[in-house]
Amino acid sequence: KAGVTQTPRYLIKTRGQQVTLSCSPISGHRSVSWYQQTPGQGLQFLFEYFSETQRNKGNFPGRFSGRQFSNSRSEMNVSTLELGDSALYLCASSNSYEQYFGPGTRLTVT
Amino acid sequence: GDSVTQMEGPVTLSEEACLTINCTYTATGYPSLFWYVQYPGEGLQLLLKATKADDKGSNKGFEATYRKETTSFHLEKGSVQVSDSAVYFCALSEPLWETSGSRLTFGEGTQLTVNP
């Protein structure tokens, strides 16, 4: 069974721009969660989607948003990028309490 | 709220040494507990899990026991290899009954380096 895939793997953006990251979950998994990983803050939960609905949300500003499509694929969007948004963004898919992670998208904001 | 505390790192060991990485947690309910491993440039891999008190998770020679009385889930391995060099994260997942979802709360991560 194919694992979680994320595209692109690397991105470089300029402050003020917006970015969209994509995640394809494991086949049959209906829940997709997003996490931000930085050296200073560690791993932090962004949000979770299930059946195209945001089910849970972490403590991030409204610039961070997401959506899920009917095939369970998910996208997250960050608008008005700030330098502090530079991070590894990880997507995880789940069909129960176990979450399986993709390789991440490394976003650098300059 | 929920929290996970891991022993401070980094940890450097010689090949075949014993490993223990301490992990304690705070949770309001009955969480599931996990250890994830992250190799350089990669995402997180689920290493092992335990869903209730006294459960022992094990995989690839690593073990951890869910201790409710001490709120701990320490990771152990009897003989480490150079290939075990990675960052290890302890995590908990507590059901969010209001939304029928769950989220992972992670510890800070412990960098393990194993020298030949």
Side-chain angles (χ1 to χ4, degrees), chain B residues 20-35:
Chain B
T20 299
I21 301 178
N22 291 333
C23 171
T24 57
Y25 68 90
T26 302
T28 53
Y30 303 94
S32 297
L33 301 174
F34 306 87
W35 278 99

Side-chain angles (χ1 to χ4, degrees), chain A residues 9-10 33 35 37 42-45 48 55-59 88 90 96-104, chain B residues 32 34 36 38 41-46 49-51 89 93 96 99-108:
Chain A
R9 291 293 309 276
Y10 302 91
S33 298
Y35 295 83
Q37 185 178 24
L43 281 152
Q44 294 185 288
F45 172 78
E48 179 201 10
R55 189 157 70 170
N56 294 294
K57 191 176 189 308
N59 294 326
L88 181 66
L90 293 162
S96 64
Y97 60 90
E98 294 181 21
Q99 295 192 22
Y100 295 90
F101 285 78
Chain B
S32 297
F34 306 87
Y36 282 87
Q38 186 174 35
E42 298 184 12
L44 302 176
Q45 294 180 24
L46 178 61
K49 64 183 185 292
T51 59
F89 292 92
S93 175
L96 302 171
T99 58
S100 301
S102 67
R103 71 175 70 173
L104 285 169
T105 300
F106 288 90
E108 307 89 344

Side-chain angles (χ1 to χ4, degrees), chain A residues 35-56:
Chain A
Y35 295 83
Q36 182 196 63
Q37 185 178 24
T38 60
Q41 300 298 317
L43 281 152
Q44 294 185 288
F45 172 78
L46 279 155
F47 28 65
E48 179 201 10
Y49 285 86
F50 181 86
S51 292
E52 302 179 64
T53 301
Q54 186 180 87
R55 189 157 70 170
N56 294 294

